[in-house]
Amino acid sequence: MKSISLTRFLIEEQRHQHHIGADLRLLIEVVARACKSISIAIGKGALDGVLGNAGTDNVQGEAQKKLDVLSNEILLEANEWGGHLAGLASEEMDGPHTIPTEYPRGGYLLVFDPLDGSSNIDVNISVGTIFSVLRCPNGINGDEERAFLQPGAKQVAAGYTVYGPSTTLVLTVGSGVHMFTLDREVGSFVLTQRDVKIPADTKEFAINMSNQRFWEAPVHRYISECVAGKEGPRGKDFNMRWVASMVADVHRILTRGGIFMYPLDSKTKDKGGKLRLLYEANPMSFIVEQAGGAATTGRQRILDVPPTSLHQRVPVILGSKNEVERVTAYHAGT
Ligand code: AHG
Ligand code: MN
Ligand code: MN
């Protein structure tokens, strides 16, 4: 079988489909290269002293792992000199990163969660990198926060890498979702699935059940109906999975369907939710919609939420379309 590298895939998208230009192609290649470095660092595990806490907190008050900090540095260093970016923002930095003056600036903004699921690093469970690409609005400097405050519907590309038994890169440039697997011997990402589609129906849900007592009524109703199984109103048994790495949970949903929920609850209500709109919810929602699924806060399509701050949080319910629509209907009914 003819093997198609990420480079070739992107060049063909540029040449024949005109979905991307040279700058966006460069940007995606540079991000992919950075993800290869992160994959290597993670793969060393306990051998290289990279496990454990960095001893610092990020702007959101979360303890940073050494690999959170390292992954952030790898992505910054890889991207700041290429001339394709106007600015960068990350879950691990207080504000936008200013591109050093010696480098040219381009038209795109890169937003990322350098290491998602980092509570899983020390126990050797899959983690990932999530990224989102926006255009820098005219007349706004790429190191100003307001440049980044665009609804997710404006994303020009989004993707994630999951560092699991294999390293997989999942990408959309707005024309479907495509999966690439890292060939470790060759050192390149190879196209392994074109145009991934999420089944509309599912019998699998993902939620942190320990938060049950904090949920709102529509989520209580939905989950209790799933748990009631064959004898309940749904008339079928459901299975539950919760990796606690959003990348891994979303990857499973892209692969075999399912619904992922980090809904609004009384514990996180003051912050607006648990997951971050710009770094997690928007890129994942873009990918899920491009794969035929749906993504909502329960009350609004995630991609339509107007961001008001860089580190804003939102409730997230995404995955198989019919299930997400059911949860949305339960919210509308209350
Ligand atoms: P991060 O490691 O980037 O802070 O993100 C962790 C997120 C997400 O990946 C996961 O779905 C969720 O937090 C897990 O939260 P709980 O530990 O509350 O289940
Ligand atoms: Mn995350
Ligand atoms: Mn993170």
Side-chain angles (χ1 to χ4, degrees), residues 62 91 113 115-118 208 242 244-246 260 262 274-276 280:
E62 297 162 338
E91 182 187 283
D113 175 354
L115 207 59
D116 175 68
S118 52
N208 184 338
W242 184 251
S245 289
M246 189 190 196
F260 169 92
Y262 217 116
K274 156 97 183 191
L275 298 173
R276 274 67 42 135
E280 295 167 324

Side-chain angles (χ1 to χ4, degrees), residues 222-244:
Y222 176 77
I223 297 296
S224 63
E225 287 179 1
C226 292
V227 172
K230 254 199 188 96
E231 294 73 32
R234 301 298 306 273
K236 59 180 183 181
D237 289 337
F238 279 75
N239 188 23
M240 195 203 87
R241 288 286 183 272
W242 184 251
V243 184

Side-chain angles (χ1 to χ4, degrees), residues 275-289:
L275 298 173
R276 274 67 42 135
L277 176 60
L278 268 63
Y279 317 112
E280 295 167 324
N282 274 343
M284 290 311 205
S285 299
F286 188 23
I287 292 166
V288 164
E289 283 199 6

Side-chain angles (χ1 to χ4, degrees), residues 15 18 44 52 105 109 149 152 180 190 195 214 243 246-247 260 282 303 314 322 334:
R15 195 183 287 158
H18 309 294
K44 295 212 182 330
R105 291 184 178 208
L109 300 171
L149 305 183
F180 303 82
V190 176
D195 217 9
F214 306 116
V243 184
M246 189 190 196
V247 272
F260 169 92
N282 274 343
L303 294 182
V314 280
N322 292 340
T334 57

Side-chain angles (χ1 to χ4, degrees), residues 35-309:
C35 289
K36 274 188 252 175
S37 300
I38 296 171
S39 171
I40 290 165
I42 290 169
K44 295 212 182 330
L47 293 177
D48 216 26
V50 289
L51 301 184
N53 288 333
T56 47
D57 285 353
N58 66 15
V59 65
Q60 302 161 66
E62 297 162 338
Q64 290 178 304
K65 297 277 180 187
K66 286 184 199 165
L67 276 167
D68 282 322
V69 176
L70 183 64
S71 305
N72 194 60
E73 278 166 9
I74 289 173
L75 279 155
L76 287 183
E77 274 170 27
N79 278 284
E80 65 182 6
W81 51 269
H84 50 285
L85 289 179
L88 304 95
S90 154
E91 182 187 283
E92 300 300 339
M93 300 188 295
D94 298 7
H97 173 77
T98 304
I99 294 173
T101 47
E102 66 258 43
Y103 304 129
R105 291 184 178 208
Y108 289 108
L109 300 171
L110 178 64
V111 181
F112 50 86
D113 175 354
L115 207 59
D116 175 68
S118 52
S119 72
N120 277 324
I121 292 169
D122 296 347
V123 288
N124 202 10
I125 290 175
S126 298
V127 290
T129 297
I130 310 173
F131 66 95
S132 158
V133 182
L134 294 159
R135 281 196 185 84
C136 188
N138 285 336
I140 304 184
N141 203 312
D143 44 28
E144 291 180 58
E145 176 172 356
R146 65 191 174 114
F148 295 84
L149 305 183
Q150 308 179 41
K154 297 251 176 164
Q155 290 170 104
V156 295
Y160 67 80
T161 307
V162 55
Y163 311 109
S166 62
T167 291
T168 308
L169 174 76
V170 174
L171 175 71
T172 185
V173 291
S175 56
V177 176
H178 312 289
M179 281 188 191
F180 303 82
T181 304
L182 181 61
D183 182 331
R184 294 184 206 271
E185 274 96 74
V186 180
S188 95
F189 281 103
V190 176
L191 181 67
T192 40
Q193 205 182 334
R194 204 185 271 276
D195 217 9
V196 177
K197 290 289 175 216
I198 300 173
D201 293 300
T202 183
K203 293 159 100 177
E204 201 159 63
F205 65 89
I207 194 164
N208 184 338
M209 288 292 290
S210 71
N211 292 326
Q212 190 167 18
R213 67 193 185 284
F214 306 116
W215 296 340
E216 295 185 313
V219 174
H220 264 293
R221 177 181 171 193
Y222 176 77
I223 297 296
S224 63
E225 287 179 1
C226 292
V227 172
K230 254 199 188 96
E231 294 73 32
R234 301 298 306 273
K236 59 180 183 181
D237 289 337
F238 279 75
N239 188 23
M240 195 203 87
R241 288 286 183 272
W242 184 251
V243 184
S245 289
M246 189 190 196
V247 272
D249 281 311
V250 170
H251 195 65
R252 185 185 60 255
I253 288 169
L254 277 176
T255 308
R256 66 180 190 208
I259 182 167
F260 169 92
M261 308 171 81
Y262 217 116
L264 195 64
D265 62 35
S266 58
K267 206 164 78 170
T268 55
K269 200 165 187 162
D270 291 349
K271 295 181 186 164
K274 156 97 183 191
L275 298 173
R276 274 67 42 135
L277 176 60
L278 268 63
Y279 317 112
E280 295 167 324
N282 274 343
M284 290 311 205
S285 299
F286 188 23
I287 292 166
V288 164
E289 283 199 6
Q290 283 290 316
T296 177
T297 64
R299 296 171 169 89
Q300 186 181 16
R301 179 185 177 225
I302 287 174
L303 294 182
D304 289 335
V305 175
T308 52
S309 69

